[in-house]
Every structure is written in structure tokens, then in C-alpha cells.
Amino acid sequence: MILNKAILILGPTGSGKTPLGALIEKKGLAGRRCFHFDFGENLRAIGKSNQPDKHFLDEEIAFINKVLDSNALLEDKDFPLACKILDWFIERHHIKTDDLIILNGLPRHIGQAKGMDSILEIEKVILLNCTSEAVRARIRKNAGGDRSGRADDSAAEVENKINLFSWRTPELLRHYRSAGKEIITIEVRENDTAEDMLKALNNHP
């Protein structure tokens, strides 16, 4: 079975994953067509029933809205739904096996990563290393230009997301390191743009 290829972007909330993923989709990477799969954006679109093909059941939409309202992660038992969302994305965009999917927001923890190993080949991981102080400043300034209209950027919710990322990401990184995947760390400061991050990525040896 030939798997779709992907690059995973990891980073705390506000670090610039979405702007970077969108820029990679626009410009491509190493001459390959790229498609930015922003899991949160897809969840929000489905939650609003913004899916004219009616691909998702009413109970799935209700569950997704519950997840969005509580800022929770999809756990292992919910992974079939995450796969369905990814399959929907691949189908809608007519993604071919030699294209590159830029994963943003999935997988978020080790259970999801193990599940995805059977459906996607992760070629490398991009880690956006951003301190908690820089995260708060980036969100306050909307440094990435992607925070307008976000209802999940209260101080308490941001702190919860930072803590969740710190708790669940190390095991995820160990999983990919043990699998021999390249992990590229990009230092993100409070005023860095997606263009700055892409430049750092392209300059990586």
C-alpha cells in the first residue's frame, strides 16, 4: 500500500503553525505540491456544518462542537473520526501520493501518532520552539495574522493549551525520533513571521 506523504508541524498555540502551513502550501516545498491540513480549521468548518457534501453525520457534528467548546483533544477512542476528517480533506483536494500534506494539529499525542503511522508516512517534523512569554506576546499582537475572531484565546484557555502542549508533546517527539524521523527545530520569537520561519526551514542543512 502506497501511503500519502506528510510533514508534521508542532508548536504551542500562537507559535505560527497555521501561517507557516498556509505559506508552505502557497509556495510548495522542494518543488512538490503541498496541501495544508489545519485540523482545527477543519473541525471548525465541520462544526458550522460547512460541508455541502454532507459527509459527516449529525451526531459527529455535535461531538465536534462539544470538543471545540471544551478545547479538548480527540483521544484514541475518537481516532476513527480524525481519520474520516483527514480522508475528507484528501478527497476534496484530490491529493496524490507524490504530493505533500502539511499536518497542523494532528497528531497531537502519541496515541494519534501511532494510529496515523498506518495511513500516512511522516517524512519529517518541524518543531516551532516558542517560549510561553513569546506565545502570549504573539497572540496579543496577532503576530501571525491568524487570531482574528478566535473565541479560544482567553488568558486561561491559552495557559491551558500551553500546559497541554508541554505535557503531551515530549512523548510525541520521542516517538518520531525513535522512528528515525528528522526533527527540525525553528526558534520562534514574538515578532517572527511565517516568511521568517520558512526562510529558516529552507536554510536548514
Side-chain angles (χ1 to χ4, degrees):
M1 178 181 178
I2 300 177
L3 302 179
N4 286 101
K5 308 298 190 296
I7 287 178
L8 172 61
I9 302 178
L10 291 176
T13 186
S15 59
K17 299 185 296 296
T18 294
L20 177 58
L23 187 62
I24 293 174
E25 177 178 89
K26 179 180 178 181
K27 296 196 172 184
L29 201 61
R32 297 166 71 179
R33 286 202 317 166
C34 295
F35 296 86
H36 177 215
F37 176 70
D38 184 330
F39 188 54
E41 183 179 89
N42 278 270
L43 283 178
R44 288 187 287 273
I46 297 166
K48 294 176 182 176
S49 297
N50 186 17
Q51 34 125 15
D53 54 1
K54 302 298 181 184
H55 192 79
F56 296 92
L57 303 175
D58 288 344
E59 53 264 36
E60 291 173 327
I61 294 172
F63 176 75
I64 286 169
N65 279 317
K66 184 178 178 181
V67 168
L68 290 169
D69 289 342
S70 62
N71 286 319
L73 300 184
L74 291 184
E75 299 298 343
D76 295 353
K77 63 181 177 60
D78 309 312
F79 189 70
L81 178 57
C83 286
K84 187 175 181 179
I85 295 169
L86 179 59
D87 287 341
W88 180 59
F89 177 84
I90 292 172
E91 181 181 323
R92 281 188 303 131
H93 292 281
H94 308 289
I95 297 174
K96 301 177 181 178
T97 53
D98 55 346
D99 294 328
L100 196 58
I101 299 172
I102 309 302
L103 294 172
N104 167 10
L106 185 77
R108 295 279 294 277
H109 54 75
I110 186 68
Q112 291 178 348
K114 289 179 178 178
M116 292 198 74
D117 286 344
S118 63
I119 60 175
L120 281 179
E121 180 185 340
I122 305 290
E123 293 189 350
K124 62 183 67 174
V125 177
I126 301 169
L127 175 62
L128 302 183
N129 194 30
C130 190
T131 66
S132 298
E133 292 75 15
V135 161
R136 297 184 193 100
R138 289 179 61 81
I139 291 175
R140 186 173 63 252
K141 297 177 179 180
N142 193 14
D146 63 325
R147 312 306 295 193
S148 298
R150 290 285 294 266
D152 56 343
D153 275 348
S154 70
E157 287 167 340
V158 167
E159 291 305 313
N160 181 60
K161 289 180 184 180
I162 290 172
N163 291 334
L164 197 57
F165 177 81
S166 299
W167 170 42
R168 305 196 81 161
T169 304
E171 188 178 23
L172 188 58
L173 289 171
R174 285 193 294 271
H175 170 76
Y176 287 116
R177 284 195 183 99
S178 67
K181 305 300 181 181
E182 181 183 13
I183 297 176
I184 299 172
T185 300
I186 297 175
E187 300 296 332
V188 178
R189 296 159 298 188
E190 64 179 73
N191 294 315
D192 283 345
T193 64
E195 288 78 9
D196 295 325
M197 298 175 209
L198 183 57
K199 182 178 179 180
L201 177 62
N202 288 331
N203 289 339
H204 190 274

